[in-house]
Coordinates of all heavy atoms in Angstrom, one line a residue:
N1 N -10.5 11.6 22.2 CA -9.6 12.5 21.4 C -9.4 12.0 20.0 O -9.1 12.8 19.1 CB -8.3 12.8 22.2 CG -7.5 13.8 21.5 OD1 -8.0 14.9 21.3 ND2 -6.2 13.6 21.4
F2 N -9.3 10.6 19.8 CA -9.1 10.0 18.6 C -10.3 9.2 18.0 O -10.2 8.3 17.3 CB -8.0 9.0 18.7 CG -6.6 9.6 19.0 CD1 -6.2 9.9 20.3 CD2 -5.7 9.9 18.0 CE1 -5.0 10.5 20.6 CE2 -4.5 10.5 18.3 CZ -4.2 10.9 19.6
Q3 N -11.4 9.7 18.5 CA -12.8 8.9 18.2 C -13.1 8.8 16.7 O -13.4 7.8 16.2 CB -13.9 9.6 18.9 CG -15.2 8.9 18.8 CD -16.4 9.5 19.6 OE1 -16.2 10.5 20.2 NE2 -17.4 8.7 19.6
R4 N -12.8 9.9 16.0 CA -13.1 10.0 14.5 C -11.9 9.6 13.6 O -12.1 8.8 12.7 CB -13.7 11.3 14.1 CG -15.1 11.6 14.7 CD -15.5 13.0 14.5 NE -16.8 13.3 15.0 CZ -16.9 13.7 16.3 NH1 -15.9 13.8 17.1 NH2 -18.1 14.0 16.8
S5 N -10.8 10.0 14.0 CA -9.6 9.8 13.1 C -9.0 8.5 13.2 O -8.5 8.0 12.2 CB -8.6 10.9 13.5 OG -8.1 10.7 14.8
L6 N -9.2 7.7 14.3 CA -8.5 6.5 14.5 C -9.1 5.4 13.6 O -8.5 4.7 12.9 CB -8.5 6.1 15.9 CG -7.7 4.9 16.3 CD1 -6.2 5.0 16.1 CD2 -7.8 4.6 17.8
S7 N -10.4 5.5 13.5 CA -11.1 4.5 12.7 C -10.8 4.6 11.2 O -10.6 3.7 10.4 CB -12.6 4.5 12.9 OG -13.1 5.9 12.6
I8 N -10.8 5.9 10.8 CA -10.5 6.1 9.3 C -9.0 6.0 9.0 O -8.7 5.5 7.9 CB -11.0 7.6 8.9 CG1 -11.1 7.7 7.4 CG2 -10.1 8.6 9.4 CD1 -11.8 8.9 7.0
M9 N -8.3 6.2 9.9 CA -6.8 5.8 9.7 C -6.6 4.3 9.7 O -5.7 3.8 8.7 CB -6.0 6.3 10.8 CG -5.6 8.0 10.7 SD -4.4 8.5 11.9 CE -5.2 8.2 13.4
L10 N -7.3 3.6 10.4 CA -7.1 2.2 10.3 C -7.7 1.7 8.9 O -7.2 0.7 8.3 CB -7.9 1.4 11.4 CG -7.3 1.5 12.9 CD1 -8.3 0.9 13.9 CD2 -6.0 0.8 12.9
L11 N -8.8 2.3 8.5 CA -9.3 1.9 7.2 C -8.3 2.2 6.1 O -8.1 1.5 5.1 CB -10.7 2.7 6.9 CG -11.2 2.6 5.6 CD1 -11.7 1.1 5.3 CD2 -12.5 3.4 5.4
K12 N -7.6 3.4 6.2 CA -6.7 3.7 5.2 C -5.5 2.7 5.2 O -5.0 2.3 4.1 CB -6.0 5.2 5.5 CG -5.1 5.6 4.6 CD -5.4 5.6 3.1 CE -4.4 6.3 2.2 NZ -3.1 5.5 2.1
F13 N -5.0 2.4 6.4 CA -4.1 1.3 6.5 C -4.4 0.0 5.9 O -3.6 -0.6 5.2 CB -3.6 1.1 7.9 CG -2.8 2.2 8.5 CD1 -3.0 2.6 9.8 CD2 -1.9 3.0 7.8 CE1 -2.2 3.7 10.4 CE2 -1.2 4.1 8.3 CZ -1.4 4.4 9.6
F14 N -5.7 -0.3 6.0 CA -6.1 -1.6 5.5 C -6.1 -1.5 3.9 O -5.8 -2.4 3.3 CB -7.5 -1.9 5.9 CG -8.1 -3.3 5.5 CD1 -7.8 -4.4 6.0 CD2 -9.1 -3.2 4.4 CE1 -8.2 -5.6 5.6 CE2 -9.6 -4.5 4.0 CZ -9.1 -5.6 4.5
V15 N -6.6 -0.4 3.5 CA -6.6 -0.3 2.0 C -5.2 -0.2 1.4 O -4.9 -0.9 0.4 CB -7.4 1.0 1.5 CG1 -7.2 1.4 0.1 CG2 -8.9 1.0 2.0
D16 N -4.3 0.4 2.1 CA -2.9 0.5 1.7 C -2.2 -0.9 1.5 O -1.6 -1.4 0.6 CB -2.1 1.5 2.6 CG -2.2 2.9 2.1 OD1 -2.7 3.2 0.9 OD2 -1.9 3.7 3.0
T17 N -2.4 -1.6 2.8 CA -1.7 -2.9 3.0 C -2.3 -3.9 1.9 O -1.6 -5.0 1.7 CB -1.7 -3.3 4.3 OG1 -3.1 -3.3 4.9 CG2 -0.9 -2.5 5.1
A18 N -3.6 -3.8 1.6 CA -4.2 -4.7 0.7 C -3.8 -4.4 -0.8 O -3.7 -5.2 -1.6 CB -5.7 -4.8 0.9
A19 N -3.7 -3.0 -1.1 CA -3.6 -2.6 -2.4 C -2.1 -2.6 -2.9 O -1.8 -2.9 -4.2 CB -4.1 -1.2 -2.7
L20 N -1.2 -2.4 -1.9 CA 0.2 -2.3 -2.4 C 0.8 -3.6 -2.9 O 1.6 -3.6 -3.9 CB 1.1 -1.8 -1.1 CG 0.9 -0.3 -0.9 CD1 1.5 0.1 0.5 CD2 1.6 0.6 -2.0
P21 N 0.6 -4.7 -2.3 CA 1.0 -6.0 -2.9 C 0.4 -6.3 -4.3 O 1.1 -6.8 -5.1 CB 0.6 -7.1 -1.8 CG 0.4 -6.4 -0.6 CD 0.1 -5.0 -0.9
Y22 N -0.9 -5.8 -4.4 CA -1.5 -6.0 -5.8 C -0.8 -5.1 -6.8 O -0.4 -5.5 -8.0 CB -2.9 -5.6 -5.6 CG -3.7 -5.5 -6.9 CD1 -4.0 -6.7 -7.5 CD2 -4.0 -4.4 -7.6 CE1 -4.7 -6.7 -8.7 CE2 -4.7 -4.4 -8.8 CZ -5.1 -5.6 -9.4 OH -5.7 -5.5 -10.5
W23 N -0.3 -3.8 -6.4 CA 0.4 -3.0 -7.3 C 1.7 -3.7 -7.6 O 2.3 -3.5 -8.8 CB 0.5 -1.7 -6.7 CG -0.5 -0.7 -6.6 CD1 -1.2 -0.3 -5.5 CD2 -1.4 -0.3 -7.7 NE1 -2.4 0.4 -5.8 CE2 -2.5 0.4 -7.1 CE3 -1.5 -0.6 -9.0 CZ2 -3.5 1.0 -7.9 CZ3 -2.4 0.0 -9.8 CH2 -3.5 0.8 -9.2
L24 N 2.4 -4.2 -6.6 CA 3.6 -5.0 -6.8 C 3.5 -6.1 -7.8 O 4.4 -6.3 -8.6 CB 4.3 -5.4 -5.4 CG 5.6 -6.1 -5.4 CD1 6.6 -5.1 -5.8 CD2 5.9 -6.7 -4.0
Y25 N 2.5 -6.9 -7.6 CA 2.2 -7.9 -8.6 C 2.0 -7.4 -10.1 O 2.5 -7.9 -10.9 CB 1.0 -8.7 -8.1 CG 0.4 -9.6 -9.2 CD1 1.0 -10.9 -9.3 CD2 -0.8 -9.3 -9.8 CE1 0.4 -11.7 -10.3 CE2 -1.3 -10.2 -10.7 CZ -0.7 -11.4 -11.0 OH -1.1 -12.2 -12.0
L26 N 1.1 -6.4 -10.1 CA 1.0 -5.8 -11.5 C 2.2 -5.3 -12.0 O 2.5 -5.5 -13.3 CB -0.1 -4.6 -11.4 CG -1.5 -5.0 -11.3 CD1 -2.4 -3.8 -11.3 CD2 -1.9 -6.0 -12.3
S27 N 3.1 -4.7 -11.2 CA 4.4 -4.1 -11.7 C 5.3 -5.3 -12.3 O 5.9 -5.1 -13.3 CB 5.1 -3.3 -10.7 OG 6.3 -2.8 -11.1
K28 N 5.2 -6.4 -11.7 CA 6.1 -7.5 -12.0 C 5.6 -8.1 -13.3 O 6.4 -8.4 -14.3 CB 6.1 -8.6 -10.9 CG 7.2 -8.3 -9.8 CD 7.2 -9.5 -8.8 CE 8.5 -9.3 -7.9 NZ 9.7 -9.2 -8.7
I29 N 4.2 -8.3 -13.4 CA 3.7 -9.0 -14.7 C 3.8 -8.0 -15.8 O 3.8 -8.5 -17.1 CB 2.2 -9.6 -14.5 CG1 1.3 -8.4 -14.2 CG2 2.3 -10.5 -13.4 CD1 -0.1 -9.0 -14.2
Q30 N 3.7 -6.8 -15.6 CA 3.7 -5.7 -16.7 C 5.3 -5.3 -17.0 O 5.5 -4.5 -17.9 CB 2.9 -4.5 -16.4 CG 1.5 -4.9 -16.3 CD 0.7 -3.6 -15.8 OE1 1.2 -2.5 -15.9 NE2 -0.6 -3.8 -15.6
H31 N 6.1 -5.8 -16.2 CA 7.6 -5.5 -16.4 C 7.9 -3.9 -16.5 O 8.6 -3.4 -17.3 CB 8.1 -6.1 -17.6 CG 8.0 -7.6 -17.8 ND1 8.6 -8.4 -16.9 CD2 7.0 -8.3 -18.5 CE1 8.2 -9.7 -17.2 NE2 7.2 -9.6 -18.1
T32 N 7.3 -3.2 -15.4 CA 7.5 -1.8 -15.3 C 8.8 -1.5 -14.6 O 9.5 -2.5 -14.3 CB 6.3 -1.1 -14.6 OG1 6.1 -1.7 -13.3 CG2 5.0 -1.3 -15.4
S33 N 9.0 -0.3 -14.3 CA 10.3 0.1 -13.6 C 10.4 -0.6 -12.2 O 9.5 -0.9 -11.4 CB 10.3 1.6 -13.3 OG 11.5 2.0 -12.7
V34 N 11.7 -0.9 -11.9 CA 12.0 -1.6 -10.6 C 11.8 -0.7 -9.4 O 11.4 -1.1 -8.4 CB 13.4 -2.1 -10.7 CG1 13.8 -2.7 -9.3 CG2 13.7 -3.0 -11.8
S35 N 11.8 0.7 -9.7 CA 11.7 1.6 -8.7 C 10.2 1.6 -8.1 O 10.0 1.8 -6.9 CB 12.0 3.0 -9.1 OG 11.1 3.4 -10.2
V36 N 9.3 1.2 -8.9 CA 7.9 1.2 -8.6 C 7.7 0.0 -7.6 O 7.1 -0.1 -6.5 CB 7.0 0.9 -9.7 CG1 5.4 0.7 -9.3 CG2 6.9 2.2 -10.6
Q37 N 8.4 -1.1 -7.9 CA 8.3 -2.3 -7.0 C 9.1 -2.0 -5.7 O 8.6 -2.4 -4.6 CB 9.1 -3.5 -7.8 CG 8.4 -3.9 -9.0 CD 9.3 -4.9 -9.8 OE1 10.1 -5.6 -9.2 NE2 9.0 -5.0 -11.2
Y38 N 10.1 -1.3 -5.7 CA 10.8 -0.9 -4.5 C 9.8 -0.1 -3.6 O 9.8 -0.3 -2.3 CB 12.1 -0.1 -4.8 CG 13.3 -1.1 -5.3 CD1 14.4 -0.5 -5.9 CD2 13.2 -2.3 -5.1 CE1 15.4 -1.4 -6.4 CE2 14.3 -3.2 -5.5 CZ 15.4 -2.7 -6.2 OH 16.4 -3.4 -6.7
Y39 N 9.2 0.9 -4.3 CA 8.4 1.7 -3.5 C 7.2 1.0 -2.8 O 6.8 1.3 -1.7 CB 7.8 2.9 -4.5 CG 6.9 3.8 -3.7 CD1 7.4 4.9 -2.9 CD2 5.5 3.6 -3.8 CE1 6.5 5.7 -2.2 CE2 4.7 4.6 -3.1 CZ 5.2 5.6 -2.3 OH 4.3 6.4 -1.5
C40 N 6.6 0.1 -3.6 CA 5.4 -0.6 -3.1 C 5.9 -1.5 -2.0 O 5.2 -1.6 -0.9 CB 4.8 -1.5 -4.3 SG 4.1 -0.6 -5.4
A41 N 7.0 -2.1 -2.0 CA 7.5 -3.1 -1.1 C 7.9 -2.3 0.3 O 7.6 -2.6 1.4 CB 8.7 -3.9 -1.5
T42 N 8.6 -1.1 0.1 CA 9.0 -0.3 1.2 C 7.7 0.3 1.9 O 7.7 0.3 3.1 CB 9.9 0.8 0.7 OG1 11.0 0.2 0.0 CG2 10.4 1.7 1.8
E43 N 6.8 0.9 1.2 CA 5.5 1.4 1.8 C 4.8 0.4 2.5 O 4.3 0.6 3.6 CB 4.8 2.1 0.9 CG 3.6 2.9 1.5 CD 2.8 3.7 0.5 OE1 3.1 3.7 -0.7 OE2 1.8 4.4 1.0
E44 N 4.7 -0.8 2.0 CA 4.0 -1.9 2.6 C 4.6 -2.2 4.0 O 4.0 -2.4 5.1 CB 4.1 -3.2 1.8 CG 3.3 -4.5 2.4 CD 1.8 -4.3 2.3 OE1 1.3 -3.3 1.7 OE2 1.2 -5.2 3.0
F45 N 6.0 -2.4 4.0 CA 6.7 -2.6 5.3 C 6.5 -1.5 6.3 O 6.1 -1.7 7.5 CB 8.1 -2.8 4.9 CG 9.1 -2.7 6.2 CD1 9.2 -3.9 7.0 CD2 9.7 -1.7 6.5 CE1 9.9 -3.9 8.1 CE2 10.6 -1.6 7.7 CZ 10.7 -2.8 8.5
C46 N 6.5 -0.2 5.8 CA 6.3 1.0 6.7 C 5.0 1.0 7.4 O 4.7 1.3 8.5 CB 6.6 2.2 6.0 SG 8.4 2.5 5.6

């Protein structure tokens, strides 16, 4: 029942969890809005 969707969802989670800390790092070194950093950290945790 989850043959096709489960693998692509795992791929999406892998891309998210690998990219969000990178976005958080960029936000810190570029001194962008703190709300962006909060969003990246919260979504990574979720």
Side-chain angles (χ1 to χ4, degrees):
N1 192 46
F2 294 87
Q3 185 173 8
R4 294 174 179 85
S5 61
L6 189 56
S7 56
I8 196 169
M9 284 191 293
L10 289 176
L11 177 61
K12 177 64 173 64
F13 288 143
F14 182 78
V15 174
D16 278 339
T17 52
L20 286 168
Y22 176 75
W23 290 119
L24 182 60
Y25 166 76
L26 285 184
S27 178
K28 279 189 170 294
I29 65 173
Q30 294 178 11
H31 304 289
T32 56
S33 174
V34 180
S35 61
V36 177
Q37 301 174 20
Y38 286 161
Y39 179 81
C40 291
T42 303
E43 188 173 3
E44 178 76 7
F45 170 76
C46 292

